[in-house]
Amino acid sequence: MKPATASDLDALVADVLAGRVGSDPARQRISVGFVTRQGARHATRGHGYRNHVISLRLGGAVGSCAVEPDGIPDDAVYDCLGRDVATLLSHPLAAVRTAALDAYLMHERPHDPADAVTVPAGSSLDKSLARAAAVVDLLPVRPGGRVLVVGVVNSLLQRLRERGIRYVPCDLRGGETEWGEPHVTDAEAALDDCDAVLASGMTLGNGTFEPLLRHARGTGKPLVLFAQTGSAVLRRFVGAGVTAVSAEPYPFFWLDGGPTTVYRYRAEEAR
């Protein structure tokens, strides 16, 4: 039986704690915790970037949450070891709560291979562009449409440009795109001028996901997410305000030159 879609994050956590999603989270303990610190500057690109991601392992599942560089101390991760999921779901750090929830949901229900897309082996730029194509394919937007991109990834912008789709790049840190376009920093202020939203799963960890979800529900506007953060969490919202999710659990495409996998979920398949 397909799991019910979630109404909001608090309701999803309440369902987990009440045992309505799977096994008792108080009996499931985190065995491994780690932070991945990565920097990249692809060949031919003028801009580089850094990623820091907290990951927690529950059995064979790894849940993850991206944070701003140096946004979480190592000791906070080590303190998760041996702790049960129920306890970590009330942790004071949102990144820990998100990674624990992600690990639990993936442990209870691994990703569905029905629409698994292989990102072929290649250079970091090759893999970034291949992943971006798989993500942009989920957007129900015609050429000439305008997309708010929350969490700027230049390869996604390149694929949108190739398809004749206009965009508004949004990133809390500000800055500019590879093409010199300034990032806006207030996603909510830009929503009304866009036909769809393409957002990073990192919105789960920084508190900006639910305003996007409310807007999508209130307007019927497509909301598509590319999720390394919370890949198993965000699929629970498909069909309940989220149009589609590209779910990419650890290890991510930028960690390995070999083939990697993303799992795609669409509202018509709501699972």
Side-chain angles (χ1 to χ4, degrees), residues 35-38 50-54 65-71:
V35 176
T36 305
R37 294 177 174 86
Q38 175 251 18
R50 291 193 294 161
N51 286 315
H52 286 191
V53 183
I54 173 178
C65 182
V67 297
E68 292 297 331
D70 302 316

Side-chain angles (χ1 to χ4, degrees), residues 222-266:
L223 171 58
V224 175
L225 294 131
F226 52 102
Q228 294 177 342
T229 292
S231 71
V233 177
L234 289 170
R235 66 180 177 182
R236 303 283 304 200
F237 294 88
V238 175
V242 171
T243 305
V245 171
S246 172
E248 186 180 0
Y250 194 94
F252 313 126
F253 79 88
W254 37 262
L255 281 165
D256 192 332
T260 50
T261 304
V262 297
Y263 303 88
R264 301 192 298 186
Y265 300 89
R266 296 175 171 87

Side-chain angles (χ1 to χ4, degrees), residues 17-38:
L17 292 172
R20 291 189 287 267
V21 173
S23 61
D24 182 358
R27 299 177 66 87
Q28 299 290 348
R29 296 186 178 275
I30 297 299
S31 59
V32 177
F34 55 98
V35 176
T36 305
R37 294 177 174 86
Q38 175 251 18

Side-chain angles (χ1 to χ4, degrees), residues 35-123:
V35 176
T36 305
R37 294 177 174 86
Q38 175 251 18
R41 183 168 177 177
H42 301 309
T44 75
R45 289 273 172 85
H47 293 272
Y49 61 90
R50 291 193 294 161
N51 286 315
H52 286 191
V53 183
I54 173 178
S55 297
L56 301 176
R57 182 168 181 169
L58 176 63
V62 176
S64 298
C65 182
V67 297
E68 292 297 331
D70 302 316
I72 189 166
D74 287 344
D75 285 348
V77 181
Y78 300 145
D79 285 345
C80 295
L81 305 183
R83 299 287 186 92
D84 64 87
V85 170
T87 297
L88 294 179
L89 291 178
S90 61
H91 195 279
L93 294 178
V96 171
R97 298 195 301 271
T98 300
L101 180 61
D102 193 35
Y104 174 84
L105 292 173
M106 208 176 319
H107 178 266
E108 296 303 306
R109 191 168 189 269
H111 280 299
D112 190 338
D115 190 7
V117 177
T118 298
V119 178
S123 70

